[in-house]
Amino acid sequence: MTWLLSLLRSGKDWALAILATIAAAAAAYFFGRRSGSSEATKTAQLQQRAEQAETNAAVAQAAAHNAEVRHAVESETASLPDAPPSSVAAAPAGTAAGRLRDAGWTRD
């Protein structure tokens, strides 16, 4: 009968050891999962910052290109010769100024 009591006592020790091992494994799992989640969040934030930097660089490059095109157009426009002045009274009949003069200053 004493052997049965010693086995039960030993069984309680084994059960307690198994429960402690399961609790330690569960704690390690949940703490690891939480730290992994924070690492994933940090990685996502870094990736978002990198994408934002790429977008800003593309916008700056497009703005620089647009400024170059605008400067080229303004330079070309400035180099064009000025049109000779024309008075409406001396305009030929086939021109827009002549039609405005002949039709009483109305548009078609």
Side-chain angles (χ1 to χ4, degrees), residues 16-87:
L16 185 62
I18 290 172
L19 287 176
T21 304
I22 291 172
Y29 172 77
F30 287 116
F31 285 125
R33 186 176 172 131
R34 192 172 98 194
S35 69
S37 173
S38 65
E39 287 179 17
T41 303
K42 289 177 185 177
T43 303
Q45 287 175 348
L46 288 175
Q47 184 177 7
Q48 185 179 13
R49 288 180 189 158
E51 290 173 356
Q52 185 66 33
E54 289 177 8
T55 302
N56 290 344
V59 168
Q61 187 176 11
H65 176 70
N66 291 344
E68 290 176 5
V69 170
R70 179 180 175 192
H71 177 69
V73 169
E74 288 176 350
S75 297
E76 184 180 341
T77 303
S79 68
L80 293 174
D82 291 334
S86 65
S87 72

